[in-house]
Amino acid sequence: MNSLASVSKKAIAPQLVNYPIVETFHSLQGEGTWTGTNAFFIRLAGCDVHCPWCDQKESWTSKTYPQQSTKMLAEASQKANPFMVVITGGEPLMYDLSPLTKALEKLRLRVHLETSGAHPFSGEFDWVTFSPKPFKLPHKSIYSQVNELKVVIANEEDLNWAEEQAKKVPPETIKYLQPEWNHPESKDLIFDYILNHSQWRMSLQTHKFLGVR
Ligand code: SF4
């Protein structure tokens, strides 16, 4: 085999890389544009954004979770036979996601990302949901990648943060305001805001209403 062939084969073959995994599960997407869609979720462990109202605080540390390889994760995703695979966290961009997305792509799986964008962007995705948080500012590499902006709203100040972020994403981005679950009054705040700001839509955490993951 000549050296050029060997290099190009190496570039195409997915690397065997391990990631700390909180859980994988098969459910329906609960939020945003793809609400109600059959999805296999891969939840990576580790997050340094530390939102005070986070509903995944157990995912902040990566130390207590088992490592799973790209091969294991790709095989589990394929076995579930979902419409799409959603890589979430934690904050998945704490890791280089390229080996994982390459392994999923090799199996012709559709791959989505959910991220706060707080770390440099990596990987190849069919859809990127960007949920920026003021507690750790997004890295500039995220903005050109976004398909959907989803801002969690707990109070009026968060609406200013949402507008600030909306100016930085591509113009065709679908923009959502999502009530923070523990601040039910934010639903009314968002309802009234959207009546006066028609570029926004409301996203609800339908999986929580359904009582599923
Ligand atoms: S970015 Fe997500 S996982 Fe991290 S603290 Fe905020 S809500 Fe929780």
Side-chain angles (χ1 to χ4, degrees):
M1 186 186 293
N2 69 35
S3 60
L4 186 61
S6 135
V7 167
S8 73
K9 190 168 180 191
K10 196 174 167 196
I12 291 165
Q15 278 175 273
L16 197 61
V17 171
N18 293 331
Y19 297 91
I21 301 296
V22 177
E23 59 180 347
T24 58
F25 60 97
H26 194 188
S27 186
L28 304 188
Q29 170 60 282
E31 305 173 2
T33 303
W34 296 89
T35 294
T37 307
N38 179 328
F40 185 74
F41 290 82
I42 299 175
R43 187 184 305 288
L44 273 71
C47 183
D48 57 0
V49 180
H50 294 184
C51 307
W53 37 254
C54 177
D55 60 4
Q56 294 294 332
K57 285 196 171 94
E58 68 281 4
S59 73
W60 287 5
T61 176
S62 58
K63 290 190 185 131
T64 49
Y65 292 102
Q67 300 273 328
Q68 289 193 38
S69 68
T70 47
K71 186 168 183 287
M72 289 163 76
L73 293 165
E75 283 174 359
S77 302
Q78 187 182 39
K79 198 170 166 206
N81 193 26
F83 179 81
M84 63 204 195
V85 178
V86 180
I87 300 176
T88 186
E91 176 38 68
L93 285 178
M94 288 180 79
Y95 307 94
D96 177 4
L97 297 177
S98 299
L100 179 55
T101 61
K102 273 189 191 134
L104 294 167
E105 187 193 330
K106 200 164 176 248
L107 296 175
R108 298 180 181 278
L109 290 162
R110 181 183 173 90
V111 188
H112 290 205
L113 173 67
E114 294 186 350
T115 178
S116 71
H119 291 268
F121 191 83
S122 60
E124 293 281 335
F125 296 92
D126 298 291
W127 187 265
V128 174
T129 301
F130 172 46
S131 187
K133 308 293 184 330
F135 314 108
K136 184 171 167 72
L137 296 182
H139 187 270
K140 60 182 185 320
S141 57
I142 185 70
Y143 290 105
S144 62
Q145 307 290 335
V146 178
N147 299 104
E148 170 182 84
L149 171 67
K150 187 177 67 187
V151 185
V152 177
I153 303 296
N155 54 48
E156 232 168 317
E157 205 179 306
D158 292 335
L159 293 168
N160 297 331
W161 165 251
E163 291 292 356
E164 203 181 295
Q165 293 300 305
K167 287 185 193 132
K168 299 184 179 182
V169 295
E172 65 276 16
T173 303
I174 306 171
K175 302 177 186 74
Y176 288 97
L177 301 173
Q178 182 169 289
E180 201 289 299
W181 188 258
N182 297 310
H183 291 79
E185 70 282 4
S186 61
K187 287 202 285 294
D188 296 333
L189 188 63
I190 293 171
F191 185 92
D192 291 340
Y193 192 79
I194 293 177
L195 290 185
N196 290 305
H197 300 83
S198 59
Q199 71 272 33
W200 293 98
R201 305 178 188 185
M202 188 187 284
S203 168
L204 295 173
Q205 293 181 292
T206 52
H207 53 296
K208 292 190 180 176
F209 289 103
L210 290 170
V212 299
R213 281 188 296 169

